[in-house]
Amino acid sequence: MKFTPRNLAFAAVVGAAYCALTVLLAPISFGVVQFRVSEALCILPAFMPVTSWGLWIGCALANFFGGYGAPDIVFGSLATLGSALCAAALAKNQPQPLHFGRCILVCAMPVLWNAPIVGAVIAWSTGAFWSALPLTALQLAVEEAGVLFIIGLPLMKLLPRSRAFMSLARA
């Protein structure tokens, strides 16, 4: 992962986009029911690994505006960073466009990371952690999978067809 000024700028733009999308769509981005459209951006590290760091900062800033406080700011953004770094690792040294099975794995990373971690943050806020955890984790997994497989997966197949995007990703 090269931290050139251009790559850092690209990561910053992705982070800003994540934060802006999350806050603009706040009614569906925060709360027990979370349909964060911005999570579809979590596929970008498969093309440009440095965007993992932008997603992390963007998620932390967005969670600052959410209702779950410091635990969500810290653990929610770390879940996004973990999933983004895994997505980057899955695509490392792979030809673009990625094989469909690998695209599925990349899209599954945010589901696998966010469901238990953010589910735990939400369950903790209810005051009934152990009884709420299974339901909140399952609900977040379904919502996250919806975003990633309805929006993210088609983007993973379409973005490599864009010469402009791929020239940015390769730089």
Side-chain angles (χ1 to χ4, degrees):
M1 209 178 310
K2 292 181 184 177
F3 289 101
T4 65
R6 181 181 174 139
N7 285 348
L8 290 175
F10 197 64
V13 168
V14 170
Y18 183 101
C19 183
L21 231 104
T22 303
V23 173
L24 278 171
L25 299 173
I28 62 171
S29 297
F30 299 109
V32 176
V33 175
Q34 293 188 13
F35 192 78
R36 280 196 185 183
V37 175
S38 54
E39 283 290 308
L41 296 174
C42 289
I43 63 150
L44 292 176
F47 301 102
M48 192 169 201
V50 76
T51 60
S52 301
W53 303 100
L55 289 166
W56 174 51
I57 296 297
C59 183
L61 290 172
N63 288 346
F64 181 76
F65 296 103
Y68 295 107
D72 196 29
I73 294 168
V74 173
F75 297 111
S77 58
L78 285 175
T80 297
L81 177 62
S83 71
L85 292 173
C86 285
L90 283 166
K92 188 175 183 177
N93 300 324
Q94 298 294 316
Q96 294 289 348
L98 292 175
H99 183 271
F100 187 71
R102 201 162 287 265
C103 289
I104 296 288
L105 289 173
V106 167
C107 289
M109 287 301 108
V111 178
L112 296 173
W113 280 81
N114 283 314
I117 295 171
V118 178
V121 168
I122 293 172
W124 181 262
S125 73
T126 67
F129 180 76
W130 292 111
S131 59
L133 180 59
L135 182 60
T136 57
L138 177 64
Q139 183 174 337
L140 272 162
V142 169
E143 294 159 359
E144 192 82 16
V147 170
L148 268 300
F149 290 104
I150 293 171
I151 301 170
L153 187 58
L155 278 175
M156 284 204 73
K157 297 312 275 179
L158 291 173
L159 287 175
R161 295 180 184 177
S162 166
R163 284 188 205 156
F165 177 79
M166 291 311 290
S167 69
L168 276 175
R170 286 188 194 113

